Amino acid sequence: MSLNYIKNFYEGCLRPPTVIGQFHTLFFGSVRMFFLGVLGFAVYGNEALHFSCDPDRRELNLFCYNQFRPITPQVFWALQMVSVLVPGAVFHLYAACKNINQEEILERPLYTVFYIISVLLRIILEVIAFWLQSHLFGFQVLPLFMCDASALERKFNVTKCMVPEHFEKTIFLSAMYTFTIITITLCVAEIFEILCRRLGYLNNH
């Protein structure tokens, strides 16, 4: 019986009840994860090693890098992707435990409402992630970062730090904003598809 739950949960996550939901799964699961996993490591993988300040001292470089990056972009985007997956995963786990087929989700009002709530939660989480990303990383990576290192040693005061490959990071940052906007758009479109199909189902009955 437990194997059936796992099978139903797996199929529900891979094949949502809507066409747009299936496209979202494909886009989210393959393109976005590949982009972050492969290109994200290439762009940000050795950032801390090549981040240098004047004077070029290890403790100063580490201190200023932590000021420059309170959280590394890879960790932030990984947390974003996991959090966005949670509402859908919880719904499909509920559907698997209740033995609900994907076709039934749009036929029964209660299941439809629960599914719409899970999509709305995804939208809210993506909007929060967009807002946090804009505050943590901005929209452009500048070649110089002015670091306040007075807490480390008074003689340092404000020091200049070189940000490696700033142009590549700006492009990657723009791409991650674009992915977030595409995901939000797909979620909104999925809600419209659910409502249209639900209305069509009611008209046929």
Side-chain angles (χ1 to χ4, degrees):
M1 198 71 174
S2 59
L3 289 176
N4 285 334
Y5 290 155
I6 295 171
K7 180 175 176 289
N8 291 340
F9 174 72
Y10 177 75
E11 289 180 351
C13 290
L14 285 184
R15 289 193 291 272
T18 62
V19 175
I20 295 174
Q22 292 174 16
F23 179 76
H24 173 264
T25 301
L26 175 67
F27 173 81
F28 193 92
S30 57
V31 178
R32 199 174 182 182
M33 287 186 180
F34 174 83
F35 193 86
L36 177 59
V38 177
L39 297 181
F41 180 78
V43 174
Y44 289 96
N46 297 317
E47 183 182 48
L49 294 175
H50 297 109
F51 186 89
S52 61
C53 301
D54 183 24
D56 190 7
R57 289 172 52 178
R58 185 172 183 276
E59 66 272 18
L60 179 63
N61 291 342
L62 287 173
F63 181 86
C64 289
Y65 182 74
N66 289 333
Q67 195 177 116
F68 176 64
R69 295 283 191 218
I71 180 173
T72 57
Q74 303 101 304
V75 172
F76 175 82
W77 289 318
L79 289 173
Q80 176 187 357
M81 294 177 75
V82 170
S83 64
V84 170
L85 287 172
V86 168
V90 169
F91 173 82
H92 291 300
L93 183 62
Y94 168 80
C97 292
K98 293 289 185 179
N99 227 5
I100 303 167
N101 295 324
Q102 294 300 303
E103 294 77 18
E104 289 181 281
I105 293 172
L106 300 182
E107 293 176 1
R108 300 191 179 183
L110 184 62
Y111 300 156
T112 304
V113 170
F114 283 164
Y115 187 75
I116 289 175
I117 289 172
S118 74
V119 178
L120 287 172
L121 286 173
R122 288 207 307 261
I123 294 172
I124 291 169
L125 289 170
E126 288 283 12
V127 170
I128 292 172
F130 189 97
W131 180 82
L132 284 173
Q133 182 177 327
S134 66
H135 279 69
L136 287 170
F137 310 128
F139 293 91
Q140 182 182 9
V141 180
L142 300 175
L144 286 177
F145 173 70
M146 304 305 293
C147 172
D148 181 6
S150 56
L152 188 64
E153 280 188 38
R154 285 190 177 180
K155 65 178 182 179
F156 288 143
N157 201 8
V158 176
T159 183
K160 291 181 181 179
C161 299
M162 297 290 293
V163 181
E165 298 155 350
H166 64 95
F167 184 67
E168 291 180 13
K169 290 179 174 64
T170 299
I171 294 173
F172 194 89
L173 200 60
S174 300
M176 295 308 293
Y177 281 118
T178 304
F179 283 143
T180 302
I181 292 169
I182 290 172
T183 304
I184 293 171
T185 305
L186 288 173
C187 289
V188 172
E190 186 176 6
I191 291 175
F192 278 106
E193 182 188 348
I194 293 167
L195 295 175
C196 290
R197 289 178 63 176
R198 181 66 191 163
L199 288 172
Y201 177 80
L202 292 174
N203 290 333
N204 292 334
H205 291 76

